[in-house]
Amino acid sequence: RTETATSGEIFCVLARASGSYRTYPLVFALLIGLLVPLPLLYLTFTSAIAIYAAQLGTALVLALLLNHRALRFAIVPRRVKHDRAHAEAQKQFAAHGLHQTQARTGVLIFVSLAERYVEVVADAGISGKVQEQVWDEAVRALIAAIKRDELGNGFIEAIGICGKVLAEHFPPGAMNKDELPNRLILL
């Protein structure tokens, strides 16, 4: 309904996660495992075989424990999650052809839940005419709705904000062709 007032295209993608981050538990467990021998060597008279077994056991238990989804996402640095989610948003923008709309008026509203990341990506035809604050407003509205546990309403609010600015700069043409599907894509 929002797109009937504009020649722009709004596309929404919801990702459960933008990456699996499977290497982080393993690396973290191995690093901790490497530290296990230090106190055992200097503070006890434990045999080398027992120290080696403790080292392997610690690394194995930590690798299995940290592979739990909640813990795995907790140990990944925030910057890494942000960068991975941003890269996924760019990938989705290209994969769904938002850069190929007739007047380059595609807008992607992207949410990655595990990374707690929201981004609005606008095509070149829009970027020069619309200030970044508009997209930031859509992101803030969506984040506020997510915090209220109203993800669907957040998407509706963000679509409304984007649609309003698109209607200002890109009114519907004589043949207002809908170039992209009007549905939420779940990843």
Side-chain angles (χ1 to χ4, degrees):
R1 183 175 164 145
T2 300
E3 285 186 358
T4 59
T6 179
S7 60
E9 293 287 333
I10 301 171
F11 195 80
C12 299
V13 174
L14 173 63
R16 288 181 188 88
S18 293
S20 66
Y21 309 103
R22 294 275 183 205
T23 58
Y24 282 87
L26 184 60
V27 169
F28 195 84
L30 291 175
L31 289 175
I32 298 298
L34 288 174
L35 297 176
V36 167
L38 292 177
L40 295 176
L41 286 172
Y42 292 109
L43 302 175
T44 68
F45 295 105
T46 308
S47 71
I49 292 175
I51 291 173
Y52 182 64
Q55 186 177 29
L56 284 176
T58 300
L60 181 62
V61 168
L62 279 175
L64 292 172
L65 184 69
L66 293 175
N67 204 30
H68 184 273
R69 183 177 166 84
L71 292 174
R72 185 172 67 236
F73 280 91
I75 64 172
V76 176
R78 186 182 332 184
R79 184 71 193 169
V80 171
K81 290 186 283 191
H82 177 274
D83 290 347
R84 183 81 50 91
H86 173 71
E88 185 63 27
Q90 298 298 316
K91 178 181 165 188
Q92 292 300 314
F93 186 86
H96 294 289
L98 277 91
H99 63 294
Q100 296 174 335
T101 58
Q102 191 172 25
R104 305 276 319 250
T105 57
V107 173
L108 171 69
I109 301 173
F110 178 81
V111 175
S112 188
L113 295 174
E115 287 82 3
R116 298 176 180 223
Y117 183 83
V118 177
E119 182 177 1
V120 174
V121 182
D123 202 355
I126 299 170
S127 294
K129 296 183 179 184
V130 178
Q131 294 184 354
E132 193 66 32
Q133 291 87 348
V134 173
W135 312 130
D136 292 343
E137 179 186 350
V139 167
R140 280 192 302 275
L142 188 47
I143 289 171
I146 291 170
K147 287 180 180 177
R148 295 188 312 266
D149 200 26
E150 298 176 357
L151 179 62
N153 289 336
F155 269 110
I156 292 168
E157 286 181 58
I159 290 167
I161 292 166
C162 294
K164 181 179 175 187
V165 75
L166 284 173
E168 280 178 38
H169 297 285
F170 302 96
M175 293 180 61
N176 193 17
K177 181 179 151 194
D178 197 6
E179 298 178 68
L180 298 171
N182 296 322
R183 59 184 164 85
L184 176 66
I185 300 296
L186 297 173
L187 301 179

